[in-house]
């Protein structure tokens, strides 16, 4: 109420009234960027103005005309002249529509809870129960003291690490090349193929690799006959790294391409005009 209080004490044309408005403007500037980044739609208005007689409620323009600022992607920013009496009803209708949309998500939330959250909670709770020792850390002690389980953890981490590194390196080169290629038919084909292969996982992917690169896979037999492959084993650690790397590549492209696409060419040109080379551009602009 600081702005209204300053108006009642000092009037519309007073420095106290203007400074109170400036103070509120400064406070809004501290939070507005965070609100927008969090996805909020922000409307800033007032319920009335003020006159030089330190009152309001009349019919003077300075009492009845109020500012209206809107921030957020939901607003079209086109020219409009809304009536103040229409704002509240319009906002209520928009909020009702969003609640109806959220209600439509209820079946998905129920299914997600039943098939994702509930099994996870059940497994986490029962991991502390052992048929031999009852409730406690027995299962974890058995796992962590078993050489077999420790070796499995080690191989899993190695496969995850190297497949991620190889996949990201290949995706890095591919994403940058696609960005430099621009909107062409080849670009569209590669992006469509990437979206398709990113969903080709699990049993179908494993079965495809077994047919192609298994012990008796068609490519395995062909490459052996040509003398290009002698000891490759899909079921070894290196074979699994190849398999998971293939799966990581389209995911890496989908992750990295939007980042390259967001880099504007005028940033590079501006950096070059200021004397920055490619290394300085990527270090101070591109990577951040």
């Amino acid at each position: 109420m600081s702005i209204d209080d300053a108006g009642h004490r000092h009037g519309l044309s007073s420095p106290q009234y203007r400074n109170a408005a400036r103070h509120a403007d400064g406070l809004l500037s501290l939070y507005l960027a965070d609100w927008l980044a969090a996805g909020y739609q922000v409307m800033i208005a007032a319920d009335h103005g003020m006159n030089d007689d330190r009152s309001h409620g009349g019919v003077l323009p300075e009492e009845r005309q109020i500012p209206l600022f809107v921030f957020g992607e939901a607003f079209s920013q086109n020219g409009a002249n809304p009536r103040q009496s229409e704002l509240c009803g319009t906002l209520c209708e928009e909020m009702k529509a969003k609640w109806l949309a959220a209600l439509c998500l209820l079946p998905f939330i129920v299914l997600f809870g039943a098939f994702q959250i509930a099994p996870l909670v059940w497994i986490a709770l029962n991991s502390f129960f052992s048929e031999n020792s009852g409730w406690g850390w027995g299962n974890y002690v058995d796992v962590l003291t078993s050489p077999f389980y420790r070796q499995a953890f080690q191989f899993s981490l190695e496969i995850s690490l190297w497949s991620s590194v190889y996949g990201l390196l290949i995706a890095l080169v591919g994403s940058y090349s696609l960005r430099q290629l621009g909107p062409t038919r080849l670009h569209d084909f590669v992006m469509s193929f990437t979206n398709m292969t990113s969903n080709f996982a699990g049993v179908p992917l494993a079965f495809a690799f077994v047919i192609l690169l298994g012990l008796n896979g068609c490519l395995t037999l062909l490459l052996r006959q040509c003398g290009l492959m002698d000891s490759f084993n899909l079921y070894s650690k290196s074979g699994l790294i190849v398999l998971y790397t293939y799966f990581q590549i389209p995911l890496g492209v989908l992750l990295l391409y939007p980042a390259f696409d967001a880099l504007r060419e005028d940033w590079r040109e501006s950096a070059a005009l200021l004397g920055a080379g490619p290394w300085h551009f990527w270090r101070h602009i591109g990577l951040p």
Side-chain angles (χ1 to χ4, degrees), residues 42-63:
V42 182
M43 296 182 64
I44 301 174
D47 54 346
H48 57 74
M50 185 64 63
N51 59 34
D52 287 321
D53 295 329
R54 297 178 291 180
S55 65
H56 52 78
V59 295
L60 295 176
E62 57 266 30
E63 299 175 49

Side-chain angles (χ1 to χ4, degrees), residues 127-142:
S127 67
F128 294 99
F129 179 79
S130 173
E131 294 182 356
N132 298 326
S133 57
W135 292 97
W137 298 92
N139 290 330
Y140 291 93
V141 173
D142 293 340

